[in-house]
């Protein structure tokens, strides 16, 4: 009798696990799931429709490799329709400025220029972006520790301090730093952390410079032709700002196309993400902000030219051709 009960119990646990795992599985990206996630475009004006038509400029997301984000973290996906109905508190008149606030020094030889990050944030979201004076930590004691050769700061303390300084017209506040970060004592480090309810995030660029991983790594990069480290750090920093701030607008990770909003499990995976959103994520951002998509692509193309992001300039040229001149 006890043996029978054990078998029944194991069976029930097995069924429950199967249901949970099935529910947690990331849906496959197929023409049908992508089209459903994008939603109907027929009611849009011709330029709006052309802005969101996938055309040839986007690659569907394939099956993840064993070490990639989606192989480890199942994601249900977020359709445009679900996003539009989410009731998320998007920017409104009087509360639509995006603030960047440095924490600590930004040594010019290994840091992205703050003004370049501000201009990128403004062009990406088509909202005013401003730099705040550096986070004042003289009156606050931020928890920190030594890990290897780096001093690391506890993300929670920085977020708590930043929230107090959020200006009245601020939609979000992004603290940027060249210090290394950790979220709690159980973690080795973290690239950053975003708090949706507070609309505040803190992001470290400390690990974006190859010298963080040692001089041998810098030499390897130089010999592989990736010698322009300044361009690499700026590209990585702009990409992480756009991705993380995207979360603060209520956008979930993208599971449909190769897209800036794809989750990432490593610097290698983040580097392989494109510097643009897919049509589904673009439609979400446009719904949240209400920008002119063509004007946005033109502004981004100007910046990409001046930042030396040549691959992105070519992509934007192609996309603007697809949308057409009007
Ligand atoms: Zn993310
Ligand atoms: Zn996407």
């Amino acid at each position: 009798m006890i043996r029978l009960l054990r078998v029944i119990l194991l069976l029930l646990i097995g069924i429950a696990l199967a249901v949970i795992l099935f529910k947690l599985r990331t849906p496959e990206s197929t023409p049908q799931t992508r089209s459903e996630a994008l939603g109907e475009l027929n009611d849009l004006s011709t330029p709006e429709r052309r802005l969101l038509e996938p055309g040839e400029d986007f690659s569907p997301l394939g099956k993840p490799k064993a070490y990639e984000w989606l192989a480890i973290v199942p994601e249900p996906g977020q359709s445009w329709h679900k996003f539009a109905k989410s009731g998320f508190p998007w920017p409104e008149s009087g509360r639509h400025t995006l603030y960047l606030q440095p924490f600590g020094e930004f040594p010019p030889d290994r840091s992205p220029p703050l003004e370049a990050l501000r201009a990128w944030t403004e062009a990406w979201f088509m909202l005013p972006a401003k730099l705040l004076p550096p986070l004042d930590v003289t009156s606050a004691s931020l928890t920190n520790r030594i890990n290897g050769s780096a001093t690391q700061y506890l993300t929670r303390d920085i977020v708590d301090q930043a929230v107090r300084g959020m200006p009245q017209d601020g939609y979000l506040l992004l603290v940027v730093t060249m210090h290394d970060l950790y979220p709690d004592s159980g973690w080795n480090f973290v690239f950053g952390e975003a708090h949706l309810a507070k609309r505040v995030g803190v992001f470290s660029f400390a690990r974006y410079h190859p010298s963080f991983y040692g001089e041998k790594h810098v030499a390897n990069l130089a010999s592989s032709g990736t010698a322009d480290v300044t361009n690499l750090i700026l590209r990585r920093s702009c990409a992480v700002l756009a991705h993380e701030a995207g979360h603060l607008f209520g956008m979930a990770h993208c599971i449909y196309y190769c897209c800036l909003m794809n989750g990432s499990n490593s610097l290698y995976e983040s580097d392989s993400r494109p510097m643009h959103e897919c049509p589904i994520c673009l439609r979400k951002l446009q719904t949240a902000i209400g920008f002119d998509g063509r004007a946005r692509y033109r502004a981004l193309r100007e910046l990409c030219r001046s930042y030396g992001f040549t691959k992105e300039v070519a992509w934007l040229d192609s996309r603007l051709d697809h949308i057409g001149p009007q």
Side-chain angles (χ1 to χ4, degrees), residues 10-326:
L10 281 173
L11 253 174
L12 286 174
I13 291 171
I15 291 167
L17 272 176
V19 168
I20 290 167
L21 285 175
F22 181 76
K23 277 199 168 168
L24 287 182
R25 211 166 47 101
T26 303
E28 207 183 318
S29 171
T30 65
Q32 193 189 343
T33 55
R34 291 191 292 276
S35 159
E36 281 170 8
L38 178 59
E40 190 54 69
L41 301 180
N42 282 343
D43 293 342
L44 301 179
S45 67
T46 305
E48 287 296 298
R49 202 181 61 245
R50 291 192 72 76
L51 175 78
L52 298 170
E53 276 170 356
E56 303 287 302
D57 297 310
F58 302 94
S59 314
L61 200 58
K63 216 173 152 40
K65 297 187 180 81
Y67 52 84
E68 288 181 337
W69 177 264
L70 282 180
I72 296 158
V73 184
E75 300 253 16
Q78 179 193 45
S79 67
W80 166 74
H81 196 258
K82 196 166 161 188
F83 177 84
K85 300 277 170 221
S86 66
F88 201 82
W90 293 315
E92 57 196 16
S93 137
R95 193 180 54 92
H96 68 294
T97 305
L98 314 179
Y99 284 96
L100 290 183
Q101 183 166 41
F103 163 51
E105 297 293 312
F106 269 66
D109 60 325
R110 61 184 177 88
S111 315
L114 287 167
E115 170 52 29
L117 298 180
R118 188 209 60 78
W120 181 263
T121 307
E122 189 159 278
W124 189 270
F125 294 102
M126 296 296 271
L127 288 170
K130 294 180 184 170
L131 281 172
L132 282 176
L135 190 70
D136 176 20
V137 291
T138 50
S139 56
S141 63
L142 301 182
T143 311
N144 59 72
R145 70 179 185 186
I146 304 287
N147 187 0
S149 58
T151 301
Q152 298 180 312
Y153 285 83
L154 186 67
T155 46
R156 190 183 57 239
D157 281 10
I158 300 174
V159 168
D160 288 349
Q161 178 75 0
V163 166
R164 290 183 213 123
M166 169 80 98
Q168 280 254 312
D169 67 343
Y171 177 68
L172 55 85
L173 199 166
L174 307 172
V175 178
V176 290
T177 183
M178 295 305 294
H179 287 305
D180 209 24
L181 302 171
Y182 72 107
D184 71 52
S185 57
W187 286 62
N188 189 26
F189 79 95
V190 73
F191 281 114
E193 202 171 293
H195 286 250
L196 243 71
K198 298 171 178 164
R199 292 198 306 284
V200 169
V202 54
F203 309 106
S204 166
F205 306 137
R207 290 172 186 255
Y208 292 166
H209 194 291
S211 65
F212 188 93
Y213 305 95
E215 289 311 312
K216 200 174 155 204
H217 191 77
V218 180
N220 284 346
L221 273 179
S223 64
S224 71
T226 319
D228 191 349
V229 171
T230 312
N231 179 287
L232 179 70
I233 312 169
L234 183 57
R235 192 185 184 282
R236 284 175 170 171
S237 309
C238 287
V240 77
L241 276 184
H243 176 102
E244 299 297 342
H247 284 320
L248 292 170
F249 280 84
M251 291 167 71
H253 282 145
C254 181
I255 61 162
Y256 305 103
Y257 287 93
C258 295
C259 171
L260 183 96
M261 288 310 293
N262 293 149
S264 147
N265 201 30
S266 63
L267 200 51
Y268 168 78
E269 203 178 352
S270 320
D271 279 347
S272 60
R273 288 189 297 220
M275 284 282 274
H276 52 256
E277 317 94 333
C278 73
I280 299 160
C281 297
L282 176 62
R283 192 174 192 188
K284 292 179 198 172
L285 204 56
Q286 198 183 31
T287 300
I289 300 170
F291 50 67
D292 172 341
R294 195 166 27 200
R296 174 175 180 264
Y297 275 161
R298 284 180 181 144
L300 283 171
R301 184 171 59 178
E302 276 313 297
L303 275 190
C304 287
R305 272 199 194 112
S306 67
Y307 292 1
F309 298 166
T310 45
K311 208 171 133 193
E312 285 72 27
V313 172
W315 186 88
L316 286 160
D317 277 341
S318 164
R319 199 59 194 156
L320 280 160
D321 275 354
H322 174 87
I323 299 164
Q326 287 305 309

